Amino acid sequence: MPDPVLDLDAASLSAAIRRGDLTALEVTRAYLARIAAHNPRLRAVITVNGAAEADAERLDALPEHQRGPLHGVPLLIKDNIDVAGLPTTAGSLLMTRHVPKADAPLVARLRAAGAVILGKANLTEWANFMTLGMPNGYSSAGGQTVNPWGEGLDTGGSSSGSGVAVAARLCVAAIGTETSDSILSPAQQNGVIGLKPTVGLIPRTGIVPISHSQDTAGPLTRTVRDAALLLGVMAGPDDADPASRRLPVPDLTLQADALAGAQIGVLRDPPGGPVSEAERASLARAEAALTLAGATLQDVTLESGPELSNWRLEVLVYEFKHDLNAYLARVQDGPRSLAEIIEANDADPERLQRYGQTLLYAAQATRGDLSERAYREARARDLDQTRTRGLDPLFALGLDALLWPGLHGYAVGAKAGYPSVTLPTGLQAGEPTGVLLTGPAGSDGRLLALAADLNRCLGGVQFPPDPA
């Protein structure tokens, strides 16, 4: 049987350590032991932090008045986010010698709040912007992640290791990143909670990028309360990320009974369908819970829906080369440009590019010049389809949030830069299911309050049984 300590969410665990019921060291050791026992099968953790126990001991020595809101909470960080002293590989064997000297600002904030960094989580290589057709959760550096609900199930991507680790209780919570569905997908596929915040709310400095228009970090957790707690710690401006200077940190007090009187728009047949029977059943369950909690539901459609059915990625292709080269220019031991990555992968394809590198080629073929007309037109089209003729007219109706079956709204919210959260709705045929809520830009606090109330009504997160 798992250690009872592993059942506590971040807020409860930190409170127990601050009270003296537990020590940060014994909690850290419990999670390190679980990683050692289960990670060889799941491959969710790519690097274990050898200093985790020493970090926990230092936290235990702090006087009570210096203990932060995440005191002693063991976290995993997706391996495209810089953690001082640990490799940042983005899943590529080419990057295993790249060891940043400084934490990304979001990691520094987590440490300052008392978190213990257990290590780095596996991911789909280059955050799933390497090629088309590569399995979710595969990287040359970390291997193939395995869904703890069943080895044949999708782990989601690209924050695959983060989703698997939270579901399998290899950490209390994990930090992922999303450009388009990379937090939401692994959270839903593994039956946990995933928050993609408003773009810019959490600074992106120190994160291996894809797209400055869409990239964001965000938490994968067991409770919405934990997602709000982690967001509150990580959010705030950073001088090196202009987008982060435009957004105030929201009020993340989770109002009780937030759904009473809330106006929720329901998209039954969203762009990019079809909607499966399992997804419709999940949607129906969420609708029943919303109505019972006092929310008013309204069926809505997107004016730009037919255009959004054809997913396009020109913006990402252009921004990837520009943004990745800026990050790689600071790498001391490893590739210094996208061109060097492609050349090295081509020299050893069996080991380094098992599934190809179609998207890397496409990005390299651009000039990386964001003043080009083709790029500017693609970005303007994305904003017109997802904001001007997409989500904004619906929110102008007075809707607090939009409800999507499964993950069908992920790309709309991602291109718009608006916040989304996915919530589990239980199991169907042994597989996790869920729904997605999207809110207006900057509505993260309100969206999380609605999500917390809905999650309570739906029964919360279930954990998969340990293998026999």
Side-chain angles (χ1 to χ4, degrees):
M1 292 292 291
D3 188 324
V5 167
L6 305 176
D7 292 331
L8 297 175
D9 67 7
S12 300
L13 183 61
S14 182
I17 297 172
R18 289 197 302 270
R19 287 194 307 267
D21 299 342
L22 298 165
T23 68
L25 181 58
E26 66 183 304
V27 171
T28 298
R29 284 176 171 167
Y31 275 98
L32 290 173
R34 187 158 177 87
I35 289 171
H38 295 280
N39 194 61
R41 180 179 72 91
L42 298 175
R43 295 186 179 179
V45 182
I46 203 168
T47 302
V48 173
N49 179 13
E53 291 188 34
D55 292 343
E57 285 186 289
R58 282 193 291 271
L59 289 167
D60 283 331
L62 289 176
E64 186 174 352
H65 70 276
Q66 292 182 14
R67 298 185 171 192
L70 293 175
H71 183 75
V73 173
L75 303 178
L76 284 167
I77 309 295
K78 185 178 179 181
D79 198 24
N80 61 346
I81 303 172
D82 287 350
V83 174
L86 299 180
T88 299
T89 72
S92 172
L93 281 169
L94 298 173
M95 296 281 284
T96 53
R97 296 188 307 277
H98 169 48
V99 181
K101 295 180 180 178
D103 287 331
L106 74 87
V107 174
R109 293 170 186 179
L110 291 168
R111 286 196 202 266
V116 176
I117 308 303
L118 292 173
K120 306 295 286 291
N122 199 3
L123 68 158
T124 316
E125 192 160 342
W126 295 112
N128 210 13
F129 208 76
M130 181 174 182
T131 193
L132 299 174
M134 185 160 67
N136 284 327
Y138 172 79
S139 70
S140 61
Q144 177 65 57
T145 57
V146 173
N147 191 316
W149 288 100
E151 293 199 11
L153 301 179
D154 187 4
T155 60
S158 65
S159 303
S160 319
S162 299
V164 169
V166 174
R169 288 179 284 183
L170 305 186
C171 58
V172 180
I175 306 304
T177 65
E178 171 150 349
T179 305
S180 189
D181 206 25
S182 288
I183 291 171
L184 302 173
S185 164
Q188 192 166 123
Q189 297 287 353
N190 290 281
V192 299
I193 290 157
L195 169 67
K196 185 204 84 72
T198 300
V199 169
L201 189 55
I202 298 173
R204 286 85 56 85
T205 309
I207 300 177
V208 181
I210 292 178
S211 159
H212 61 267
S213 295
Q214 295 183 205
D215 286 351
T216 180
L220 293 93
T221 60
R222 306 171 180 188
T223 65
V224 178
R225 176 176 66 168
D226 281 0
L229 176 62
L230 289 163
L231 177 62
V233 168
M234 293 185 288
D238 171 65
D239 288 343
D241 184 356
S244 74
R245 300 197 295 267
R246 298 195 294 264
L247 291 169
V249 177
D251 179 3
L252 293 169
T253 305
L254 300 183
Q255 171 197 346
D257 302 323
L259 288 173
Q263 304 289 318
I264 308 294
V266 182
L267 291 111
R268 300 187 185 284
D269 294 294
V275 178
S276 70
E277 288 304 313
E279 289 169 334
R280 291 199 186 279
S282 267
L283 182 65
R285 186 173 178 216
E287 288 182 276
L290 288 164
T291 301
L292 191 62
T296 299
L297 307 184
Q298 178 181 345
D299 285 3
V300 294
T301 58
L302 289 166
E303 174 192 338
S304 57
E307 299 156 70
L308 287 167
S309 294
N310 298 313
W311 187 64
R312 302 175 70 164
L313 47 76
E314 295 98 323
V315 169
L316 306 189
V317 169
Y318 269 94
E319 291 187 1
F320 183 64
K321 180 179 181 178
H322 176 275
D323 295 355
L324 182 64
N325 280 344
Y327 178 93
L328 294 175
R330 301 190 295 272
V331 171
Q332 297 300 309
D333 193 355
R336 302 291 303 279
S337 69
L338 175 58
E340 289 186 20
I341 292 168
I342 291 172
E343 182 179 5
N345 285 340
D346 278 338
D348 191 356
E350 184 175 340
R351 191 170 68 103
L352 297 177
Q353 53 155 317
R354 181 181 299 179
Y355 300 98
Q357 51 179 344
T358 305
L359 292 176
L360 300 191
Y361 288 140
Q364 181 61 19
T366 71
R367 291 191 298 174
D369 180 359
L370 302 188
S371 66
E372 284 191 40
R373 179 178 177 181
Y375 165 75
R376 290 185 287 107
E377 289 180 348
R379 180 61 179 151
R381 183 188 64 244
D382 279 357
L383 294 178
D384 174 61
Q385 291 176 354
T386 63
R387 291 186 189 177
T388 307
R389 294 185 300 115
L391 300 176
D392 290 353
L394 301 183
F395 292 129
L397 299 174
L399 299 175
D400 294 286
L402 299 172
L403 176 70
W404 311 78
L407 292 164
H408 283 270
Y410 76 86
V412 185
K415 290 184 178 185
Y418 293 177
S420 294
V421 59
T422 184
L423 301 171
T425 53
L427 302 176
Q428 294 197 40
E431 185 172 355
T433 60
V435 291
L436 188 69
L437 284 173
T438 298
S443 70
D444 303 65
R446 174 63 170 159
L447 184 67
L448 284 169
L450 297 171
D453 205 6
L454 178 56
N455 189 54
R456 174 186 59 80
C457 296
L458 290 170
V461 168
Q462 302 177 53
F463 292 114
D466 288 347

